[in-house]
Amino acid sequence: LTAIQQIIVPAARQELLPRFARVERRQKLDGSFLTEADLAMQEQVAGQLLQHWPDTVCLGEEMGAAEQASLLAAEQPVWCLDPLDGTSNFAVGTPYYAISLALIEQGIATLGIVYDPNRDECFVGIRGQGAFLNDEPLKVKSVELPLQQCTALIDFKRLAPRLAMDLVSQRPYASQRSYGSVALDWCWMAASRFHVYLHGASNIWDYAAGLLIFKEAGGYSSTLDGEDIYVNSLTKRSSVGALDQATFYQWHSWLREHSD
């Protein structure tokens, strides 16, 4: 873990912080954005990971889908890397972005690290061993509020129209935020900075590390259909989360009632 952090933290400080709000972005075929910072981070981090652990492979967001799928099917341990989660924020100077790295062994995420260089916050989740923020144990707090008084973190752009409209018009929570980095969303939930979470569809490199951190911190989660969010494939997954079981049940039940 220390060796991995010694790769990620200096790389983020070297490649991301000097470029923050100072890069041009271009649009990829899927509509997301790409900058030179994404590519520089992926090259540096992936290269060092494979140098230190030559028996692993590295799946990066900025690879083609065919190559990504073949790596997920590999027998070796897989590093699942999002070199810059929150590229749109990064390019315009919004300080909500991170580097996200998960270790997948035999199809299961066993280690997750998300580093926010702006706040110098390093979130870690180790399967079966808990979650940590800057080496301090991280546990979610009980909500102790009705759903109507909760603060929600919601990404609306990939939700079904009926559900999105009902969330706005009927508003089952007190207030809502959307910041634009799935990896950090899960980590901020793990740090109890919000009460409930919803995202319509995210990729494995977006959620693998952050979701593990949130689950190891004691949070509750599933897809809108009630399945485990994590799957070892390129299938995009919806995400529902809450800090405690009672709030999760209320939140998920409301969402199911208002889904198409």
Side-chain angles (χ1 to χ4, degrees):
L1 178 59
T2 300
I4 298 169
Q5 290 173 312
Q6 288 173 347
I7 292 172
I8 290 176
V9 173
R13 291 173 178 170
Q14 176 185 338
E15 303 292 353
L16 296 184
L17 288 178
R19 292 183 169 98
F20 179 54
R22 296 183 177 90
V23 293
E24 293 184 1
R25 63 184 185 184
R26 61 181 176 85
Q27 195 166 17
K28 298 188 288 186
L29 293 177
D30 65 359
S32 61
F33 291 106
L34 178 69
T35 71
E36 65 177 17
D38 297 78
L39 299 175
M41 277 293 293
Q42 179 160 301
E43 180 179 2
Q44 181 172 156
V45 173
Q48 290 190 56
L49 288 171
L50 298 181
Q51 180 180 350
H52 281 75
W53 295 279
D55 294 331
T56 64
V57 293
C58 189
L59 183 157
E61 180 186 2
E62 310 310 333
M63 292 178 172
E67 184 179 5
Q68 290 171 338
S70 67
L71 290 176
L72 282 179
E75 294 183 1
Q76 305 106 302
V78 178
W79 298 106
C80 185
L81 171 66
D82 190 339
L84 177 52
D85 187 49
T87 300
S88 297
N89 288 342
F90 180 83
V92 298
T94 301
Y96 193 81
Y97 63 89
I99 174 175
S100 175
L101 179 70
L103 178 62
I104 300 174
E105 299 178 278
Q106 298 180 337
I108 298 172
T110 58
L111 174 68
I113 301 178
V114 176
Y115 179 61
D116 174 356
N118 264 291
R119 296 170 187 81
D120 193 27
E121 290 188 331
C122 188
F123 297 87
V124 174
I126 307 170
R127 182 177 173 84
Q129 299 183 45
F132 306 86
L133 170 53
N134 290 348
D135 299 324
E136 294 295 326
L138 186 63
K139 279 288 184 184
V140 298
K141 301 175 183 177
S142 294
V143 176
E144 299 178 354
L145 292 170
L147 181 60
Q148 293 77 10
Q149 295 181 26
C150 287
T151 300
L153 183 56
I154 301 175
D155 189 309
F156 278 93
K157 64 184 177 182
R158 295 182 180 89
L159 297 179
R162 178 197 166 191
L163 177 57
M165 289 299 296
D166 285 357
L167 284 165
V168 173
S169 62
Q170 300 184 32
R171 197 163 56 85
Y173 39 73
S175 61
Q176 173 268 329
R177 311 285 188 270
S178 180
Y179 290 138
S181 166
V182 172
L184 268 187
D185 288 348
W186 283 118
C187 292
W188 279 38
M189 283 289 292
S192 304
R193 295 171 185 173
F194 300 94
H195 301 120
V196 296
Y197 179 61
L198 175 63
H199 195 289
S202 56
N203 293 297
I204 189 170
W205 50 81
D206 297 317
Y207 70 75
L211 176 63
L212 178 61
I213 292 165
F214 178 69
K215 292 172 72 174
E216 288 296 327
Y220 289 79
S221 63
S222 78
T223 66
L224 280 165
D225 294 327
E227 302 172 345
D228 287 341
I229 297 171
Y230 180 85
V231 290
N232 191 44
S233 77
L234 298 181
T235 305
K236 290 187 176 183
R237 306 290 280 172
S238 62
S239 301
V240 179
L243 299 187
D244 59 36
Q245 188 173 29
T247 306
F248 178 81
Y249 179 78
Q250 294 178 59
W251 178 228
H252 191 264
S253 297
W254 192 96
L255 295 171
R256 290 289 292 163
E257 291 172 5
H258 293 261
S259 294
D260 292 327

